[in-house]
Amino acid sequence: MYGPLRPDPSLPPVRINLYSDTQTRPSPAMREAMLGAGVGDEQLGLDPSVNALCERVAAMLGKEAAMFLPSGAMCNSVAILTHCRPGDEIIAHETAHIIEAEGGAPWALAGARVLGLRGARGMFSADDLRAALTMPSRYAAPQVLLEIEQTANLGGGTIWPLATLRDLVGIARAAGMATHMDGARLMNAVVASGISAAAYAAPFDTVWIDFTKGLGAPLGAVLAGSADLIDRAWRWKQRLGGALRQAGICAAACLYALDHNVDRLAEDHANARDLAAGLAAIGGLNVEPPETNLVYVDVAASGRTPGDWAAALRAQGIMVSVMGATRLRLCTHLDVTGTDIIETIAAFHNLA
């Protein structure tokens, strides 16, 4: 998954980084905002920049309260630990980030197992969820949490329809379950669909957004929910070492991102569409139509492995992700230009 990232001095410098939107670097203007940030002890509620960020994100998501954390993975872990107890069961898609890319954290930290449901493009239906529910029994693990990833990364950056989310949450609530949204790329869904973050977040008990992907900050994510939930989540933040000190330097980057880097996500989506169209014209490549900023390419018919393609591209200074036995992922972001897209398509043509 994603492929190894090991320094190799024999390789040329990376010119075009399509590995992930986590590869963005803070702009000079963002660094200036960080330099001028007001700071204080975040644990004591004395950091004005962190407080401003949490208040803004809570309002944006329509929640009572929020907390600043170093990463989205920690947001997921803190939320799961707050909602679940050892032996509980979480229901998510089988390709969810909490299953595929967080080191088994739900099992290791919360002692909760995750039941992965199948479904095309990273999503499942209301009928799929109903079929997965079990009758309350002393023999069965309590099903306590429904988890949704918006957008669905391994599904191709797909956007869960709002009506589907509402249906799923309604079923989960009727079954006595809590609900959590992994909003790593929620703002991509907002920009692509025109539906507000608050509307997507409204059905869920907890939700978080990431600032290190398309929004371009060097670190940070914000978890939001009711005042009571966030108050309880703080104990887990403390236990996991997520409590910070003068974190305003980092929160300032996130505030800058909200001011300057949200609407421009549309550029990433346009670049992804152009990239997909260019690659689709190459024989042996099966390109999944992108909905946001992730372009998945199945290379099985090309006669080469994804690793072969990635290595050949890396030799030209282009970095992409290997995603399983047959797929590559190319991720557009604020450090990828239209010229980069043209060069990448040309590189694929030359290698075909």
Side-chain angles (χ1 to χ4, degrees), residues 14-25 317-320 331-333 335-336 340 344:
V14 176
R15 298 183 299 107
I16 303 172
N17 195 332
L18 295 159
Y19 179 82
S20 174
D21 40 12
T22 61
Q23 302 295 294
T24 58
R25 301 186 182 212
I318 301 171
M319 190 158 71
V320 301
C331 181
T332 58
H333 50 77
D335 289 345
V336 174
D340 293 335
T344 299

Side-chain angles (χ1 to χ4, degrees), residues 278-294:
L279 296 181
I282 301 173
L285 302 184
N286 182 14
V287 183
E288 302 171 23
E291 293 186 17
T292 50
N293 68 320
L294 304 180

Side-chain angles (χ1 to χ4, degrees), residues 103-125:
W107 294 266
L109 301 179
R113 72 182 188 186
V114 187
L115 174 63
L117 304 189
R118 294 182 177 178
R121 304 214 73 187
M123 297 178 285
F124 51 84
S125 69

Side-chain angles (χ1 to χ4, degrees), residues 31-101:
R31 291 171 187 254
E32 285 293 322
M34 297 170 73
L35 183 64
V39 299
D41 192 322
E42 182 256 3
Q43 287 195 65
L44 299 180
L46 299 177
D47 191 299
S49 300
V50 171
N51 292 344
L53 176 64
C54 289
E55 289 167 7
R56 184 166 174 182
V57 173
M60 185 176 74
L61 297 176
K63 302 301 182 187
E64 292 179 339
M67 66 161 56
F68 185 50
L69 287 162
S71 70
M74 188 175 282
C75 284
N76 276 337
S77 289
V78 167
I80 288 170
L81 286 160
T82 303
H83 288 300
C84 301
R85 295 293 175 266
D88 287 346
E89 184 171 82
I90 302 161
I91 297 179
H93 192 271
E94 65 180 357
T95 64
H97 199 267
I98 60 171
I99 295 176
E100 294 287 341

